[in-house]
Amino acid sequence: MSESTFPQATQRTFSEELWDAIVPIYQAILDHPFITGLVDGTLPHDSFRHFVVQDSHYLRDYARALALCAAKAPTEDDVRAFAGDAAGAIAAEQDMHGAFMADLGGSAEQAATLPVGPTTRAYTSYLLATVHGGSFLDGLAAVLPCYWIYARVGEALLERSSPDPLYRRWIATYGDEAFQSVVRRVVALADRVGDEATVAQRSRAREHFITTSRYEWMFWDAAWRRESWPI
């Protein structure tokens, strides 16, 4: 019997392996009242304001994490791409969040004076520790959910949009093809680097990916609850 008699199993890409590991987390995000409230317009503006303030704090440290990824990136093109993404994270914090805060009756300057919440602090601390202390693949896996989950959420919500103009703008930002293109580039990089990694290295990176995906759910949940420090 020839070798071709039996179909050859198709090996999953590293990105497929990563996404498969967080399918329940992603579904929990789509089902969360913060996300469903964006779509039907019932999300309280106070919860969205909490999200914008905390996201502004988050993006400052996320930009630092991306800059560290740039420093460890394997090729010059990857260095330039991550450096550009780090600058883009700062621009988003300054421009988009500033506009949202103005619409919500505040300002970017005011948001900067408000405390960093418990979930935000935990998430960014984990990100920065992983990118500082781990390999490039570890850091890439840790920063990837913020790219990828936002892109998938934006894509899922784009057709439904929202009756609230604030939420409609937020959905359009992450469902936009320009953002989707950036995410495809980072996912392709994960496949390229993951293909060269050992089983142990891939397993460790997958744990980082799962952990920061959980933090993504926690971040939206914290905004929904308007989380504050208990003491």
Side-chain angles (χ1 to χ4, degrees):
M1 188 175 288
S2 68
E3 291 183 2
S4 61
T5 302
F6 297 104
Q8 298 297 310
T10 302
Q11 186 176 0
R12 289 187 304 165
T13 65
F14 185 49
S15 61
E16 289 171 338
E17 186 180 320
L18 292 176
W19 190 262
D20 286 350
I22 66 154
V23 167
I25 300 171
Y26 174 65
Q27 189 58 54
I29 288 170
L30 289 181
D31 293 340
H32 194 282
F34 186 96
I35 299 299
T36 60
L38 283 172
V39 173
D40 63 20
T42 61
L43 179 70
H45 276 193
D46 283 348
S47 290
F48 189 68
R49 186 177 190 275
H50 187 287
F51 169 82
V52 171
V53 169
Q54 293 305 312
D55 204 37
S56 296
H57 291 315
Y58 170 86
L59 284 173
R60 293 187 197 103
D61 278 341
Y62 189 66
R64 292 182 175 92
L66 294 179
L68 287 165
C69 284
K72 295 184 176 184
T75 72
E76 290 183 359
D77 285 344
D78 298 329
V79 171
R80 282 193 291 269
F82 274 113
D85 291 349
I90 294 293
E93 185 268 319
Q94 292 175 335
D95 299 336
M96 182 176 70
H97 289 81
F100 279 134
M101 284 300 294
D103 289 339
L104 292 164
S107 67
E109 292 74 21
Q110 180 189 24
T113 67
L114 296 173
V116 178
T119 295
T120 307
R121 181 71 73 193
Y123 189 178
T124 58
S125 295
Y126 183 88
L127 268 181
L128 290 169
T130 302
V131 177
H132 266 292
S135 66
F136 174 73
L137 181 59
D138 290 333
L140 175 60
V143 301
L144 182 55
C146 187
Y147 284 99
W148 204 357
I149 290 176
Y150 270 70
R152 293 291 295 267
V153 168
E155 186 178 41
L157 303 189
L158 192 58
E159 285 189 12
R160 288 181 281 169
S161 192
S162 175
D164 187 305
L166 276 179
Y167 304 158
R168 194 159 57 241
R169 276 167 46 206
W170 185 91
I171 291 168
T173 297
Y174 293 104
D176 180 74
E177 173 56 27
F179 182 68
Q180 299 288 331
S181 176
V182 169
V183 174
R184 285 194 294 269
R185 182 249 301 162
V186 181
V187 171
L189 174 59
D191 281 333
R192 172 158 52 90
V193 179
D195 284 347
E196 299 170 356
T198 66
V199 171
Q201 289 167 340
R202 286 164 66 112
S203 178
R204 185 172 62 245
R206 184 169 59 252
E207 286 304 309
H208 291 310
F209 181 77
I210 293 169
T211 298
T212 51
S213 296
R214 287 173 171 150
Y215 273 124
E216 286 294 327
W217 182 93
M218 291 170 63
F219 196 86
W220 275 309
D221 186 64
W224 171 250
R225 294 183 290 107
R226 284 163 253 169
E227 178 190 62
S228 62
W229 292 95
I231 57 173

